[in-house]
Amino acid sequence: MAKFELKLPKMGESVAEATITNWLKKVGDKIEIDEAVLEIATDKVDSEIPSEISGVLSEILFNVDDIVKVGQTIAIIETEGQNASPVIAASEVAPESVVAVEEIIEKAIAVVSESANFSSSDKFFSPLVKNIAKQEGISLAELEAINGSGKEGRVTKEDILKFVENRKSNVAAPVSIPSTSNQQTKAAPVSVNGGDEIVEMDRMRKLISGYMMASINTSAHVQSFIEVDVTNIWKWREKNKNAFEKREGEKLTFTPIFMEAVAKALKDFPGMNISVDGEYIIKKKNINLGMAAALPNGNLIVPVIKNADQLNLVGMAKAVNDLGNRAKEGKLKPDDTQGGTYTVTNVGTFGSVFGTPIINQPQVGILALGAIRKVPAVIETPEGDFIGIRNKMFLSHSYDHRVVDGALGGSFVKRVADYLEAFDINREF
């Protein structure tokens, strides 16, 4: 009976590791090809890992909450077939290779055991950082107090090595002052009157909480608001939505029309299509639009429409519907949420007239779409002004005042409004 190594597959260019959240199969279970074996989580998306072959699960190499690198073997599946990747027995390894193999195993065990030692922390630390912390005798409180320079404030290898060097030199490293409660074992929350229900945040909510606070602490948020007359868009959609769905097999919502206008405005104002890395500005070549979507548990996620400026309205509608549907079904892949350069969120879905959204780091702007309402408005004509009923909405633009001044931030959202108000009611789709 051959053995097959189930490895953590590549999940996108920027995804290097994942955390095991649940084993769906146990040792001895039969597994069919393409059947899900375990669930994993990256910093953005939860996913299932299917088997590439039919067989019996014989070994599980990692536990729940362990962090696994892309390409690492996570389980062994025994199979009757000949297509399995053979697992070399220790007796078959050349003598000169045994020492090297033992060293690799020892390092792997050290990393796995260290992951467990720091599992009580709400912060994310890479296996390398935790391994260094263990070797240098750094406590959890000290590790949590280090100001990380990595993405989302993560502690990098350079950060912890600098901390170690400064500590050995009796020089205080740049750390934040932890509260007394962080230095003690966290006590379980207790209900004072016995009538309240206390529920711990799930993993995704903890991540979202961390992202939001990191963004507020990073960017100087400023907002601009503008009201837009979308009567022509409303009438055009009412006229064409049934024919569109019949021809394309897709529902026609307002979202792709708005996303199309945003992509055009980003081409006109590339200063909004940037990101910030320390004291450097990165001008993005591609326009990749993030769109806030709901997950099955009610949390929000931001899948990305790649090269949005290259899509026509039909292509945009297909992309919006595909990402939205897969988000609702919990079938987004890690790469679906990577590479965004600007984000749009539709607060009008919940009835909000406008909102003040938080920037999706490391981007510098986010646009909130308010609810479309019928309102009385002044209509100008050559014969004079009169009052009529129009379909209007608010656009709320949050932008990073560190690198985006009011002139750019205001001009950008005005350009989006101009494109929407100039929508051709006779347009073909």
Side-chain angles (χ1 to χ4, degrees):
M1 183 173 285
K3 294 184 178 181
F4 174 81
E5 295 183 348
L6 180 64
K7 301 178 183 292
L8 183 66
K10 185 176 181 180
M11 299 172 290
E13 295 181 1
S14 59
V15 180
E17 61 188 17
T19 301
I20 295 176
T21 56
N22 184 34
W23 281 97
L24 303 175
K25 298 290 183 179
K26 61 181 183 294
V27 173
D29 284 353
K30 291 183 178 180
I31 300 171
E32 300 297 329
I33 189 169
D34 292 330
E35 186 177 7
V37 179
L38 70 157
E39 296 174 341
I40 57 97
T42 68
D43 60 348
K44 291 285 183 71
V45 178
D46 294 351
S47 302
E48 295 179 343
I49 302 299
S51 173
E52 302 172 41
I53 199 166
S54 298
V56 176
L57 183 62
S58 62
E59 292 183 60
I60 291 177
L61 304 181
F62 289 91
N63 299 317
V64 171
D65 293 331
D66 284 349
I67 297 174
V68 186
K69 298 286 187 182
V70 169
Q72 276 191 294
T73 301
I74 50 182
I76 303 296
I77 299 174
E78 292 187 349
T79 175
E80 298 280 353
Q82 299 298 318
N83 296 326
S85 302
V87 178
I88 301 175
S91 60
E92 301 174 11
V93 180
E96 60 270 18
S97 303
V98 172
V99 175
V101 171
E102 290 177 349
E103 289 178 354
I104 292 173
I105 293 174
E106 288 176 0
K107 290 179 180 179
I109 292 173
V111 170
V112 173
S113 62
E114 183 57 23
S115 298
N117 290 343
F118 292 101
S119 60
S120 61
S121 176
D122 292 332
K123 292 187 176 181
F124 172 84
F125 301 106
S126 70
L128 176 60
V129 168
K130 289 188 284 188
N131 201 26
I132 294 174
K134 179 180 179 181
Q135 293 174 355
E136 298 294 337
I138 297 173
S139 68
L140 176 58
E142 289 177 310
L143 188 57
E144 288 184 323
I146 298 175
N147 283 334
S149 62
K151 183 180 179 181
E152 310 295 348
R154 289 183 180 178
V155 176
T156 65
K157 173 185 175 183
E158 289 72 22
D159 294 331
I160 193 168
L161 290 178
K162 185 176 181 180
F163 176 85
V164 172
E165 180 182 352
N166 289 338
R167 189 172 66 168
K168 289 179 178 179
S169 302
N170 295 321
V171 178
V175 299
S176 57
I177 301 175
S179 64
T180 304
S181 59
N182 288 338
Q183 299 178 15
Q184 300 174 350
T185 303
K186 295 181 180 178
V190 179
S191 174
V192 177
N193 58 19
D196 299 331
E197 181 182 5
I198 301 173
V199 180
E200 184 180 2
M201 294 182 187
D202 60 26
R203 188 193 64 85
M204 183 63 74
R205 177 49 54 184
K206 290 179 181 178
L207 287 172
I208 293 173
S209 175
Y211 291 147
M212 295 300 98
M213 289 306 302
S215 183
I216 288 294
N217 293 329
T218 299
S219 297
H221 282 65
V222 177
Q223 284 82 29
S224 293
F225 307 93
I226 190 167
E227 191 175 24
V228 190
D229 189 328
V230 292
T231 305
N232 283 352
I233 293 175
W234 181 280
K235 291 180 178 179
W236 181 87
R237 177 180 174 274
E238 286 297 308
K239 176 183 176 182
N240 292 284
K241 63 181 182 181
N242 291 333
F244 186 93
E245 184 173 2
K246 183 177 181 181
R247 194 186 85 176
E248 301 296 336
E250 299 281 349
K251 291 187 178 298
L252 178 62
T253 65
F254 291 105
T255 302
I257 300 174
F258 298 147
M259 299 295 263
E260 182 185 52
V262 172
K264 288 181 179 179
L266 286 172
K267 291 191 73 172
D268 296 341
F269 295 94
M272 288 304 312
N273 198 53
I274 65 173
S275 64
V276 179
D277 184 5
E279 296 180 351
Y280 296 91
I281 295 173
I282 302 173
K283 298 180 178 180
K284 298 295 185 177
K285 178 180 179 181
N286 299 326
I287 294 176
N288 300 331
L289 289 183
M291 49 170 276
L295 290 169
N297 59 7
N299 290 329
L300 291 179
I301 198 167
V302 185
V304 177
I305 301 172
K306 308 292 175 59
N307 299 309
D309 58 314
Q310 300 177 21
L311 299 176
N312 59 18
L313 186 58
V314 173
M316 188 73 77
K318 290 181 181 293
V320 167
N321 291 344
D322 172 59
L323 291 173
N325 291 335
R326 286 197 286 122
K328 292 177 183 177
E329 297 168 1
K331 295 182 178 180
L332 286 175
K333 300 176 181 178
D335 198 42
D336 290 329
T337 63
Q338 305 294 327
T341 60
Y342 188 88
T343 298
V344 178
T345 180
N346 191 350
V347 299
T349 301
F350 314 107
S352 297
V353 178
F354 57 81
T356 56
I358 297 174
I359 296 168
N360 187 15
Q361 296 295 328
Q363 299 167 23
V364 299
I366 181 171
L367 186 70
L369 309 172
I372 300 176
R373 303 169 301 140
K374 287 185 177 181
V375 297
V378 175
I379 301 174
E380 298 179 356
T381 70
E383 290 75 27
D385 299 342
F386 66 93
I387 300 295
I389 297 176
R390 307 294 289 178
N391 296 95
K392 289 194 172 188
M393 65 182 294
F394 281 98
L395 303 179
S396 310
H397 186 209
S398 293
Y399 48 95
D400 190 343
H401 211 358
R402 293 179 303 165
V403 291
V404 179
D405 292 328
L408 174 57
S411 297
F412 169 78
V413 70
K414 178 63 166 59
R415 184 62 55 85
V416 176
D418 290 342
Y419 280 128
L420 294 177
E421 292 190 340
F423 189 89
D424 185 3
I425 197 170
N426 296 313
R427 174 178 176 174
E428 299 289 336
F429 58 82

